[in-house]
């Protein structure tokens, strides 16, 4: 398996695709070059695959990977239709992660304020730790979940890195969210 395929599979599985998606409809979006909303390179991350989980890009994800000597971070930004209140959806997302990673522990939950284009967003965050095969070895993993609402959709960030890089993970994801224009709709 080549490196690109490995990272796609890893980040798709670790990213816990939107639990409301119709899992029978998954397609890769191709032919999108550099974009002002989702650039090929953002805050040092390289854009990976863009997947759609429904017709007309109403439910999609964009993977970003930061692989350097100092950092190995896989992050995915999901946009999907709003279906219930933010707090309930956040609980469903947390439970999905705990169900998928049986030994996962929640390290912290917090409410943050994320600002984009002068608008403040109430953002719910949870961080997790668990053991998993990452970068070809079983190791302690740090994982971040962030969820907020923009207009009629949720925006979710899922990110994974070695546990030893947890501080860099949080800082780098903040830079990624500042660079990517997830509020374009």
């Amino acid at each position: 398996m080549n490196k690109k395929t490995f990272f796609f599979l890893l980040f798709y599985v670790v990213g816990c695709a939107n639990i409301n998606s119709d899992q029978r409809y998954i397609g890769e979006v191709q032919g999108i070059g550099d974009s002002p909303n989702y650039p090929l390179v953002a805050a040092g991350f390289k854009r990976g695959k863009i997947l759609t989980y429904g017709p007309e890009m109403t439910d999609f994800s964009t993977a970003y990977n930061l692989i350097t000597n100092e950092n190995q971070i896989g992050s995915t930004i999901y946009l999907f239709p709003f279906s219930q209140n933010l707090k309930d959806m956040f609980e469903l997302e947390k439970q999905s992660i705990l169900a998928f990673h049986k030994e996962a522990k929640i390290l912290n939950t917090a409410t943050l304020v994320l600002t984009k284009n002068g608008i403040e967003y109430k953002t719910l965050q949870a961080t997790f730790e668990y053991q998993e095969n990452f970068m070809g070895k079983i190791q302690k993993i740090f994982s971040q979940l962030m969820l907020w609402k923009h207009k009629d959709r949720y925006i979710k960030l899922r990110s994974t890195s070695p546990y030893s890089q947890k501080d860099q993970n949080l800082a780098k994801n903040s830079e990624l969210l500042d660079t990517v224009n997830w509020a374009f709709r």
Side-chain angles (χ1 to χ4, degrees):
M1 177 182 312
N2 69 34
K3 188 175 181 180
K4 193 173 190 179
T5 302
F6 170 77
F7 282 115
F8 166 73
L9 290 174
L10 176 70
F11 297 125
Y12 176 75
V13 170
V14 172
C16 297
N18 172 17
I19 60 177
N20 285 333
S21 295
D22 180 352
Q23 294 301 317
R24 295 168 294 175
Y25 190 107
I26 297 177
E28 181 180 354
V29 178
Q30 297 183 352
I32 297 178
D34 203 13
S35 156
N37 295 325
Y38 287 89
L40 292 172
V41 177
F45 287 78
K46 291 184 181 176
R47 190 179 76 198
K49 293 190 183 223
I50 299 173
L51 298 178
T52 183
Y53 307 99
E56 300 179 21
M57 294 289 289
T58 57
D59 187 352
F60 69 97
S61 66
T62 306
Y64 278 94
N65 304 313
L66 179 63
I67 308 299
T68 66
N69 290 335
E70 298 80 31
N71 298 113
Q72 296 82 46
I73 302 171
S75 299
T76 304
I77 301 169
Y78 298 84
L79 283 81
F80 54 101
F82 182 73
S83 60
Q84 56 191 303
N85 75 55
L86 183 65
K87 187 175 180 180
D88 289 345
M89 190 67 206
F90 183 64
E91 288 304 316
L92 286 172
E93 293 288 344
K94 286 190 322 188
Q95 292 309 311
S96 176
I97 293 167
L98 294 171
F100 191 80
H101 304 283
K102 299 291 185 204
E103 297 178 14
K105 292 188 319 186
I106 296 175
L107 298 173
N108 185 35
T109 58
T111 300
L112 312 170
V113 175
L114 189 63
T115 303
K116 190 70 162 184
N117 302 331
I119 300 171
E120 291 185 346
Y121 296 88
K122 175 185 173 183
T123 305
L124 303 178
Q125 174 184 266
T127 56
F128 303 81
E129 73 174 54
Y130 48 88
Q131 293 283 324
E132 187 155 316
N133 187 341
F134 187 78
M135 300 295 293
K137 67 179 183 175
I138 301 293
Q139 58 183 307
K140 190 174 177 181
I141 299 298
F142 177 79
S143 183
Q144 179 183 30
L145 164 68
M146 294 177 73
L147 184 71
W148 63 100
K149 186 178 179 239
H150 171 67
K151 296 184 181 178
D152 64 343
R153 58 181 64 229
Y154 293 112
I155 306 201
K156 175 175 74 171
L157 172 83
R158 282 283 288 121
S159 181
T160 305
S161 66
Y163 190 84
S164 62
Q165 298 173 19
K166 69 180 181 176
D167 293 334
Q168 297 100 315
N169 179 308
L170 295 170
K172 291 294 186 181
N173 281 324
S174 180
E175 292 175 28
L176 177 65
L177 291 173
D178 283 344
T179 304
V180 170
N181 186 21
W182 44 263
F184 68 95
R185 287 187 172 195

